[in-house]
Amino acid sequence: MKNLKKQDPKIYNAIKAEEKRQEEGLELIPSEIAASPAVIEALGTVLTNKYSEGYPYKRYYGGQANVDIIETIAIERAKKLFGVPFANVQPYSGSPANLAVYVAVCQPGDTVMGQNLPDGGHLTHGWKASATSMFYNTIAYHVKPDGYLDLEEIEKLAIKHKPKLIWVGATAYVREFPFEKLSKIADKVGAYLVADIAHIAGLIIAGAHKSPAKFAHIITTTTHKTLRGPRGGMILVTAKGLKKDPELGNKINQAIFPRLQGGPHDHQTAAIAVTLGEAMKPSFKKWGHQVVKNAKAMANELMKRGLKLVSNGTDNHLMLINCGKGRGVFLQEALDAVGITLNKNTIPSDPSSPFYPSGVRLGTPFITVRGMKEKEMKKIANWIADVMEEIKDFQFPEKKEDFKIVIKKFRVFIEKNKKFKKIHQEVKVLCKKFPLYNK
Ligand code: DSN
């Protein structure tokens, strides 16, 4: 980065500081990952200079010979990896990909169903704060007290509301998705079943989670979570989808361009192609299975230490710790102080609110990229449990207005805590043994 360093030291220094933060800390946000050096190289290329509205060999601007090759490779790799006949690799990210699905198959005012946000669902699946609920009639389904999807409720709601589209997929669901059962419900009411596999795409390719390819009509995903790619999105249409509507691929293409987006981000497309190439290697399968093994090992150790996990464990890459009413923020901030990064998150039937949720969400994709295994998971789980123990006296205040006072006290406590300083040093030592990029 010699030019950047000379020309804009403020930005250069902030990037270097972020490199150091990621290198010296444990990134446990389950939707984050360390993209490979080849992916990062593809992102920083002259492809960012180009406009390519349209699709390969059908563009609106000249000079597309190289971009057409790149996008075609990305499409073909996506089709092969997921076993589908159609792929669009142009969505800027997951939310635009999901919006394109609505535009392709629904009319404004149509009814759609999705997993309730506090139950782990995604904003774009119809949550009230998302624009999707402004344009569509959205019905939320839930998980049962054991943390599994409530299939009985889903079936009842589907029969009652006859949705045009049913989403399956989430941002905070620790169990395997029952794609086959949901496809039966969707077929019964004539709805499109759309699987949003953003969180689990890499696990599906690795064979560590069932694939929705035989059961859903459409699949959407981001490319920067367990797929280990650049920030980006994809929309896939399955054979089942084309059987329901042979025009579905064309409708998706039109929804992305010209209806919702302009020129594709060609540097991102190239990096997606590289990602998909990497995901075809046998080592990717091994990695995907290790992510799940690591999550299970961490979950077991956390529970052994007395922490409460939503659904008492995990089938995938992520876990949700129930910290007690409104206490997610305390654990997030205390762990930040020891170099462990995760995010506060709602838990099913959260007694608090999305801004002051009662849980934290954590996962193993990033640290598995670094080569960490079950032994390290146990160590990390014990640090988390130690930190939780240390902050046990801090409760969310009865009156929300008092939060500012409590959090101020809490931050002073964190700042002065000797145990946290010790754990932070130990975290750094562990990270040094598992370098991220400087191998
Ligand atoms: N922000 C993503 C996540 O963290 O799961 C979802 O869009």
Side-chain angles (χ1 to χ4, degrees):
M1 295 197 286
K2 58 181 188 305
N3 292 301
L4 183 60
K5 187 177 180 183
K6 208 167 131 197
Q7 183 184 314
D8 201 333
K10 278 191 185 150
I11 294 295
Y12 172 84
N13 289 337
I15 294 173
K16 292 310 275 184
E18 176 60 15
E19 254 177 46
K20 187 166 156 28
R21 191 193 69 79
Q22 290 186 18
E23 194 71 53
E24 292 184 350
L26 293 165
E27 299 299 301
L28 300 187
I29 294 176
S31 48
E32 292 183 354
I33 197 89
S36 76
V39 166
I40 290 175
E41 278 172 19
L43 280 173
T45 60
V46 293
L47 290 169
T48 198
N49 301 346
K50 191 76 196 101
Y51 256 124
S52 312
E53 278 93 335
Y55 290 98
Y57 308 102
K58 283 173 273 175
R59 307 273 186 188
Y60 287 82
Y61 293 34
Q64 306 293 344
N66 305 310
V67 169
D68 282 346
I69 292 172
I70 290 166
E71 190 169 335
T72 304
I73 292 174
I75 291 170
E76 291 310 315
R77 285 182 184 169
K79 282 159 53 176
K80 192 166 173 200
L81 267 172
F82 289 96
V84 294
F86 170 90
N88 182 311
V89 297
Q90 291 191 7
Y92 298 148
S93 200
S95 297
N98 288 353
L99 196 55
V101 171
Y102 285 97
V103 169
V105 302
C106 294
Q107 292 300 316
D110 277 351
T111 297
V112 304
M113 272 173 58
Q115 189 169 333
N116 194 38
L117 183 112
D119 288 50
H122 192 251
L123 278 164
T124 56
H125 299 180
W127 180 242
K128 59 188 176 208
S130 149
T132 55
S133 76
M134 288 164 63
F135 302 123
Y136 306 97
N137 174 35
T138 59
I139 307 288
Y141 60 79
H142 303 85
V143 296
K144 295 179 291 177
D146 63 5
Y148 285 81
L149 284 178
D150 188 344
L151 289 164
E152 255 179 57
E153 185 207 28
I154 297 173
E155 182 159 15
K156 272 189 201 149
L157 288 173
I159 290 170
K160 182 170 172 204
H161 297 284
K162 303 245 169 328
K164 187 81 166 277
L165 184 166
I166 300 176
W167 288 103
V168 50
T171 56
Y173 185 65
V174 297
R175 296 299 174 194
E176 201 162 30
F177 290 102
F179 295 126
E180 189 167 2
K181 289 185 177 140
L182 282 159
S183 83
K184 286 189 180 139
I185 297 174
D187 290 345
K188 205 174 190 174
V189 299
Y192 284 99
L193 182 68
V194 187
D196 177 345
I197 59 166
H199 263 263
I200 51 169
L203 304 185
I204 288 171
I205 287 174
H209 190 296
K210 270 183 230 128
S211 166
K214 276 207 294 204
F215 308 110
H217 300 98
I218 302 170
I219 299 170
T220 65
T221 185
T222 49
T223 49
H224 49 269
K225 296 191 179 87
T226 48
L227 209 45
R228 291 173 71 177
R231 310 201 80 76
M234 298 196 296
I235 306 175
L236 315 169
V237 177
T238 63
K240 184 174 173 179
L242 286 186
K243 203 168 157 203
K244 184 171 167 72
D245 179 359
E247 284 304 306
L248 205 45
N250 292 336
K251 287 179 184 171
I252 294 288
N253 275 351
Q254 267 179 15
I256 286 289
F257 176 82
R259 291 197 200 285
L260 287 170
Q261 295 190 171
H265 294 173
D266 295 326
H267 59 308
Q268 181 178 317
T269 308
I272 289 174
V274 173
T275 299
L276 297 171
E278 289 177 351
M280 283 169 169
K281 293 185 184 155
S283 56
F284 191 89
K285 281 201 165 50
K286 214 170 148 198
W287 172 81
H289 283 281
Q290 189 63 47
V291 168
V292 177
K293 279 192 220 164
N294 280 354
K296 284 182 189 288
M298 191 184 279
N300 287 339
E301 195 67 15
L302 287 169
M303 290 190 294
K304 239 194 241 169
R305 286 287 310 268
L307 277 85
K308 279 194 206 144
L309 259 58
V310 168
S311 198
N312 292 319
T314 181
D315 286 339
N316 55 28
H317 61 301
L318 73 83
M319 289 145 271
L320 283 162
I321 302 175
N322 182 347
C323 305
K325 187 177 173 188
R327 293 187 75 238
V329 63
F330 296 126
L331 188 56
Q332 178 186 302
E333 290 207 10
L335 286 171
D336 254 341
V338 303
I340 297 178
T341 312
L342 43 62
N343 67 285
K344 61 181 183 185
N345 212 95
T346 50
I347 54 170
S349 308
D350 202 310
S352 192
S353 67
F355 198 72
Y356 300 112
S358 304
V360 295
R361 188 184 66 152
L362 64 161
T364 52
F366 207 120
I367 50 177
T368 309
V369 170
R370 301 183 79 143
M372 295 183 193
K373 297 222 165 92
E374 287 89 332
K375 189 175 148 213
E376 288 74 38
M377 298 306 120
K378 286 187 185 166
K379 205 175 221 182
I380 297 167
N382 277 294
W383 284 327
I384 294 172
D386 289 347
V387 168
M388 188 70 159
E389 172 68 24
E390 203 67 11
I391 62 171
K392 66 176 185 306
D393 294 336
F394 287 89
Q395 299 299 326
F396 192 75
E398 295 219 341
K399 285 193 228 139
K400 244 195 235 167
E401 304 80 77
D402 294 339
F403 180 73
K404 273 192 189 148
I405 304 166
V406 176
I407 198 78
K408 210 169 156 189
K409 258 197 209 159
F410 182 66
R411 286 176 185 155
V412 172
F413 170 81
I414 292 177
E415 181 70 31
K416 292 195 174 145
N417 191 294
K418 290 213 175 78
K419 192 157 192 180
F420 289 174
K421 290 200 170 61
K422 184 172 165 277
I423 295 176
H424 198 179
Q425 276 318 310
E426 289 167 1
V427 166
K428 284 187 188 168
V429 170
L430 177 70
C431 288
K432 229 184 173 136
K433 277 199 214 153
F434 294 89
L436 197 49
Y437 290 116
N438 309 323
K439 291 186 182 167

